[in-house]
Amino acid sequence: VLLTFCFIACQSAMAGEQTVKLTVPGVSERAQQQGSTILNDIDGVSNVATNPEKHTATVTYDTKKSNPEAIKKALAEGGFPVEGELEIIK
């Protein structure tokens, strides 16, 4: 019982805020604002930083409200498909 409680408590503590970096080839300087708007419209996203020179987007989100798959899907639906694997920053 104690192990189960510790497992649940540890998972709850790990839930919260997470930051990921995605490679988004379509994020150019011209499309930077549109890509940021798409990401900021996702429930739980608290911070977005795009780098048009490196074609990346760094997104901080609440793990209780969103997840990397939802972020990737929203970008793809907005015309900005993600390439490769995402990098978990924190």
Side-chain angles (χ1 to χ4, degrees):
V1 174
L2 183 58
L3 282 175
T4 302
F5 175 76
C6 288
F7 178 73
I8 292 169
C10 289
Q11 281 193 319
S12 296
M14 288 173 41
E17 204 169 75
Q18 185 169 31
T19 302
V20 294
K21 185 188 284 187
L22 308 113
T23 301
V24 189
V27 177
S28 63
E29 284 189 42
R30 190 167 159 233
Q32 182 176 8
Q33 183 61 40
Q34 184 182 3
S36 292
T37 300
I38 291 167
L39 292 167
N40 281 313
D41 284 347
I42 299 170
D43 188 32
V45 169
S46 60
N47 189 42
V48 174
T50 56
N51 184 330
E53 292 148 5
K54 293 185 178 182
H55 302 283
T56 61
T58 303
V59 182
T60 302
Y61 64 94
D62 183 338
T63 59
K64 294 177 184 175
K65 295 181 179 180
S66 193
N67 60 63
E69 290 307 313
I71 293 167
K72 290 164 89 173
K73 181 180 178 186
L75 283 168
E77 288 175 353
F80 299 96
V82 175
E83 285 188 359
E85 297 297 316
L86 61 87
E87 176 185 350
I88 297 174
I89 306 293
K90 65 174 183 172

